[in-house]
C-alpha cells in the first residue's frame, strides 16, 4: 500500500489502520504540514514532494509496485489557494497527476483520491450528493475537480481503477493548525483561554465527519470494484454557533466569540448525503458529533498546539 500525505492528519490515521490490518505501507510526505512522529514506525517513510520530486516518486512506485495508492498529499488551505493559486495548482493538480502517472508506469492498480465537497457550487441544493451542481468557487476546489477529471482519464484509458472521495469537514486527533478545520482551532483557542473568531454571523453550517469514519471509507474504497466519485459526509449540518456551544459544554468554558466578516471562496450552508457510498461500498458514518468532539478534546488536552 502506498499513502501520499501519510504524515498528515487523515493520512497518519489511515496508515495506523493499514498497519493494524497487517499491510505493508510506504508513506511519502514532504512534511509541509505533516508530522513525521505521527507516521506509524512500522511504515516505510520517504520525505518527498509529489510535485517537484516526481522522478524519485516514479522510481519508488516502480520499485514498490503497490496494489493501491491512497493520494492525500495536498495543500488544503482554501484561503491560501485564493492568495496563491499557482502554488496550489502545482501541489494539488500536478501532484495528483504525478501519483497517477507514477502508478501507471508502475503497472497500474487502484488509486483512491481525497477530493472535497469544495468542488460543488455555492448554490448547490442541499443535501449535497454526487449529482449536485459542480462549480468550484476556489482554486482549491478547482484543483480537486481537476484531480477527479484526471482520475477519470486514467480509469478510462488504462486498467487502473480510480475512486475519488468528496470529503466534507474532517476533524479529530492530530489535525494541525495549518489550514486546519474550525474544530481544531476552536478547541485549541478555548484550551488556551483565547477568544474564538467566527467568520460571518455564526449561522454558516458545515458537515463535520470524524476521522475514523473517513478512514473506514478509504479502507472500503480500496476493496470495492467501482470507479467514480462518492460523497463522504454525515448528512448532519452544524452551525458555527452550535459547534462552539457544544465545545464550550465539553470544556466548561463560557467565552463570547468575536465575529468577523465572512471569507471569500467558502460555501455557506453544507451537509452531504452519502446514500451512494452506502449503496456502493456499504459505508455509513458511525461517530456522532458529540462523541467525536469528546475524543478530539481529550486528545488536544494531552497534545495542545
Ligand atoms: N481535513 C479535511 O477536512 C479535508 C476535507 C476534504 C478533503 N481533504 C483532503 O484530504 C487530504 C488530507 O487532508 P488532511 O486534513 O489530512 O491534511 P494535512 O495537511 O494534515 O495532510 C496533508 C499531508 O500532505 C503533505 N503534503 C502536502 N503537499 C505535499 C506534496 N506536494 N508532496 C508530499 N506531501 C505533501 C503534508 O505534509 C501533509 O502531511 C488532502 O488532500 C485534503 O485536501 C481534507
Amino acid at each position: 500500500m502506498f499513502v501520499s500525505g501519510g504524515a498528515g492528519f487523515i493520512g497518519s490515521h489511515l496508515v495506523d489502520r493499514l498497519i493494524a490490518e497487517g499491510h505493508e505501507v510506504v508513506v511519502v510526505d514532504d512534511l509541509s504540514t505533516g508530522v513525521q512522529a505521527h507516521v506509524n514506525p512500522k511504515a516505510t517513510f520517504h520525505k518527498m514532494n509529489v510535485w517537484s520530486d516526481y522522478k524519485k516518486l516514479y522510481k519508488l512506485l516502480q520499485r514498490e509496485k503497490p496494489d493501491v495508492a491512497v493520494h492525500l498529499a495536498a495543500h488544503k488551505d482554501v484561503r491560501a489557494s485564493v492568495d496563491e493559486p499557482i502554488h496550489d495548482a502545482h501541489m494539488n493538480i500536478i501532484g495528483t497527476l504525478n501519483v497517477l502517472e507514477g502508478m501507471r508506469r508502475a503497472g497500474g492498480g487502484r488509486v483512491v483520491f481525497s477530493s472535497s465537497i469544495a468542488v460543488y457550487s455555492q448554490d448547490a441544493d442541499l443535501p449535497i450528493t454526487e449529482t449536485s451542481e459542480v462549480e468550484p468557487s476556489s482554486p482549491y476546489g478547482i484543483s480537486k475537480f481537476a484531480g477527479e477529471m484526471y482520475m477519470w482519464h486514467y480509469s478510462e484509458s488504462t486498467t487502473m481503477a480510480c475512486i475519488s472521495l468528496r470529503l466534507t469537514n474532517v476533524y479529530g486527533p492530530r489535525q494541525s493548525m495549518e489550514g486546519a478545520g474550525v474544530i481544531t482551532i476552536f478547541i485549541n483557542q478555548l484550551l488556551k483561554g483565547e477568544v474564538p473568531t467566527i467568520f460571518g454571523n455564526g449561522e454558516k453550517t458545515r458537515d463535520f465527519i470524524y476521522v475514523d469514519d473517513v478512514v473506514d471509507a478509504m479502507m472500503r474504497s480500496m476493496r470495492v470494484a467501482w470507479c467514480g466519485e462518492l460523497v463522504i459526509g454525515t448528512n448532519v449540518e452544524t452551525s458555527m454557533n452550535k459547534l462552539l456551544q457544544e465545545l464550550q459544554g465539553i470544556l466548561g468554558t463560557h467565552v463570547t466569540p468575536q465575529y468577523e466578516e465572512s471569507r471569500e471562496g467558502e460555501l455557506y450552508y453544507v451537509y452531504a448525503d452519502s446514500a451512494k457510498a452506502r449503496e456502493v461500498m456499504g459505508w455509513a458514518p458511525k461517530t456522532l458529533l458529540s462523541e467525536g468532539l469528546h475524543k478530539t478534546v481529550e486528545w488536544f488536552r494531552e497534545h495542545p498546539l
Side-chain angles (χ1 to χ4, degrees):
M1 299 284 172
F2 169 85
V3 181
S4 78
F9 161 49
I10 302 172
S12 64
H13 286 277
L14 174 68
V15 172
D16 283 348
R17 174 83 180 268
L18 287 166
I19 297 282
E21 293 200 3
H23 296 282
E24 280 184 18
V25 185
V26 175
V27 169
V28 158
D29 199 297
D30 70 350
L31 300 178
S32 51
T33 57
V35 179
Q36 196 170 345
H38 291 167
V39 181
N40 192 302
K42 291 187 177 155
T44 310
F45 177 76
H46 298 266
K47 185 170 186 289
M48 203 180 283
N49 185 314
V50 294
W51 165 57
S52 54
D53 296 329
Y54 67 96
K55 286 185 185 156
K56 278 196 220 164
L57 176 69
Y58 292 172
K59 268 194 195 152
L60 176 69
L61 289 170
Q62 264 159 1
R63 198 171 66 232
E64 298 289 340
K65 300 204 181 314
D67 297 334
V68 179
V70 185
H71 174 48
L72 295 143
H75 282 198
K76 58 153 207 235
D77 187 331
V78 174
R79 242 181 332 155
S81 83
V82 174
D83 295 340
E84 291 187 66
I86 293 173
H87 182 69
D88 181 82
H90 282 150
M91 297 302 153
N92 293 3
I93 300 180
I94 306 296
T96 300
L97 191 48
N98 284 339
V99 170
L100 283 163
E101 183 55 19
M103 283 296 281
R104 185 187 71 78
R105 291 176 186 216
R110 170 169 291 269
V111 180
V112 178
F113 171 52
S114 54
S115 184
S116 164
I117 53 154
V119 301
Y120 288 111
S121 162
Q122 287 185 312
D123 301 323
D125 289 337
L126 296 175
I128 283 171
T129 69
E130 290 73 11
T131 55
S132 300
E133 187 189 355
V134 168
E135 190 184 293
S137 55
S138 67
Y140 171 76
I142 293 169
S143 74
K144 289 295 181 188
F145 189 50
E148 291 184 1
M149 294 295 96
Y150 281 114
M151 292 281 283
W152 258 115
H153 171 71
Y154 279 84
S155 281
E156 293 285 304
S157 62
T158 71
T159 55
M160 288 164 59
C162 301
I163 184 162
S164 298
L165 303 180
R166 292 175 174 166
L167 311 176
T168 57
N169 281 65
V170 190
Y171 72 98
R174 297 186 188 155
Q175 190 164 37
S176 71
M177 285 295 255
E178 285 86 17
V182 64
I183 290 179
T184 295
I185 294 171
F186 280 176
I187 291 175
N188 283 282
Q189 287 175 326
L190 292 171
L191 283 172
K192 285 186 210 150
E194 292 172 6
V195 176
T197 302
I198 290 182
F199 295 95
N201 64 4
E203 290 311 303
K204 181 173 85 179
T205 63
R206 289 291 178 264
D207 181 338
F208 295 110
I209 185 161
Y210 191 62
V211 66
D212 287 357
D213 286 326
V214 171
V215 167
D216 188 40
M218 289 176 173
M219 298 298 291
R220 286 167 189 261
S221 305
M222 292 178 201
R223 295 169 188 141
V224 71
W226 194 83
C227 293
E229 297 85 36
L230 290 174
V231 166
I232 300 297
T234 67
N235 214 356
V236 176
E237 72 178 328
T238 305
S239 73
M240 298 301 128
N241 288 330
K242 177 81 180 19
L243 173 68
L244 189 59
Q245 191 189 345
E246 286 251 2
L247 284 173
Q248 300 227 54
I250 295 169
L251 285 155
T253 55
H254 305 277
V255 181
T256 305
Q258 185 177 329
Y259 289 90
E260 285 185 12
E261 210 176 308
S262 280
R263 300 185 295 193
E264 192 192 334
E266 291 188 330
L267 304 176
Y268 206 83
Y269 298 107
V270 178
Y271 65 107
D273 182 357
S274 291
K276 182 136 188 192
R278 182 192 289 267
E279 178 198 317
V280 167
M281 55 184 192
W283 177 85
K286 296 190 186 101
T287 314
L288 293 175
L289 182 65
S290 57
E291 187 192 337
L293 290 180
H294 270 97
K295 288 183 183 174
T296 309
V297 165
E298 282 322 306
W299 194 84
F300 281 117
R301 275 193 209 278
E302 286 169 28
H303 308 86
L305 293 176

